[in-house]
Amino acid sequence: MKKAILIVAFLSIVAFAAFGGGQGEEAGPETKTLRVAVPTFPNAIDASIAAERNAQNVAWQMFDSLVFQNENGEIEPSLAKDWEVSDDGREYTFYLREDVEFHNGEPFNAEAVAYSWERGTRPELEWSDRWARADGVEVIDEYTVRITTEEPDALLLGIMAQHWNMVPPEYTEEVGDETFGEKPVGTGPFEFVEWVTEDRIVMEANENYWREGLPRVDEVVFVPIPEASTRMAAIQTGEVDIVNRLSF
């Protein structure tokens, strides 16, 4: 139950930042900035490397997976617009959106899915066991992939929604995992701008985001504030718009 509550809280933060729900700060005549306090200093902001839930909260603003898990725990289409499951429950055929690009202009397609899975299963990556629940990823055509599992796995789609962040093959290979963890590129509602260690992580709205009309703020700034009392003061004074893990 505790884990489920944490997941719902995580999804709520993602929805708030990406889809609106607050006014945020007017940083300029037409700029809406949402300021979010996080209680830890992220080790990385690549969702495949981020070692802790708050780092994941930050990272997932820049990424999408093939599917999305809503606040009720239901699986919805995301980068995959539809999918089919074989009668034996071991093959998933995903039909991908054809109108999506990564933030750097690389196309999102079946090759990107296969690459993301191959990278994600590397043992040195933080969440490799989540990616390894799939036995293989086969490219059928440019926008179709088949994902197989050794046995039927009722949890696969939920784990995919939480951990399978799609990454651009060319950029990821060019910069390597360490740099990618510091300057990630995804397909998500926000794009990386800067990371000033122990001070702030800044993202700007992805103007070409595939979900029409989203995101609803122009900028998100994550501010690490380790002390719960300081986070409480920050929300009370209007220094930030969202806080979590408060002690009462």
Side-chain angles (χ1 to χ4, degrees):
M1 177 63 72
K2 184 176 180 181
K3 182 177 180 182
I5 292 171
L6 287 173
I7 290 171
V8 169
F10 159 57
L11 292 174
S12 296
I13 290 174
V14 171
F16 194 105
F19 306 147
Q23 293 300 313
E25 176 188 67
E26 295 291 339
E30 299 178 355
T31 301
K32 291 183 179 179
T33 298
L34 187 69
R35 302 155 304 176
V36 184
V38 291
T40 58
F41 301 112
N43 69 308
I45 48 176
D46 166 13
S48 293
I49 300 175
E52 185 265 345
R53 175 56 65 187
N54 284 281
Q56 291 271 316
N57 289 350
V58 175
W60 272 102
Q61 308 302 325
M62 296 176 284
F63 294 103
D64 292 306
S65 186
L66 298 182
V67 295
F68 175 76
Q69 190 170 30
N70 67 26
E71 60 185 8
N72 297 316
E74 301 163 336
I75 301 298
E76 299 179 354
S78 185
L79 293 179
K81 59 186 179 182
D82 199 5
W83 60 89
E84 299 172 350
V85 183
S86 63
D87 291 340
D88 65 3
R90 295 177 56 250
E91 289 187 356
Y92 295 73
T93 303
F94 290 90
Y95 303 97
L96 309 178
R97 298 187 63 91
E98 301 178 14
D99 57 348
V100 179
E101 289 185 346
F102 289 97
H103 300 152
N104 66 341
E106 285 186 53
F108 169 73
N109 53 29
E111 293 290 348
V113 177
Y115 174 83
S116 297
W117 176 79
E118 290 168 1
R119 172 182 183 260
T121 56
R122 296 175 190 167
E124 66 269 23
L125 294 192
E126 184 71 25
W127 304 102
S128 60
D129 60 323
R130 270 61 164 187
W131 292 86
R133 294 184 79 101
D135 203 36
V137 175
E138 178 186 359
V139 174
I140 305 302
D141 59 39
E142 187 173 8
Y143 294 107
T144 309
V145 294
R146 180 177 296 126
I147 296 175
T148 56
T149 59
E150 188 172 343
E151 300 292 340
D153 187 350
L155 300 179
L156 178 65
L157 294 179
I159 288 172
M160 186 181 293
Q162 295 174 34
H163 294 286
W164 284 37
N165 61 310
M166 297 293 110
V167 301
E170 292 182 17
Y171 174 74
T172 310
E173 283 295 299
E174 177 186 345
V175 303
D177 290 333
E178 183 175 352
T179 298
F180 189 88
E182 298 170 351
K183 299 178 180 180
V185 170
T187 63
F190 292 96
E191 302 182 23
F192 175 82
V193 175
E194 67 172 350
W195 182 2
V196 181
T197 305
E198 299 188 4
D199 183 67
R200 64 186 181 276
I201 297 169
V202 182
M203 304 173 195
E204 64 184 5
N206 174 8
E207 295 181 354
N208 299 311
Y209 191 47
W210 56 273
R211 291 184 188 269
E212 187 175 354
L214 301 174
R216 293 177 182 163
V217 296
D218 302 301
E219 183 181 63
V220 177
V221 180
F222 290 91
V223 183
I225 306 178
E227 293 295 328
S229 59
T230 308
R231 292 196 300 278
M232 175 66 80
I235 191 73
Q236 290 175 330
T237 60
E239 180 183 344
V240 298
D241 304 301
I242 297 177
V243 297
N244 68 350
R245 293 191 181 179
L246 294 177
S247 300
F248 296 97

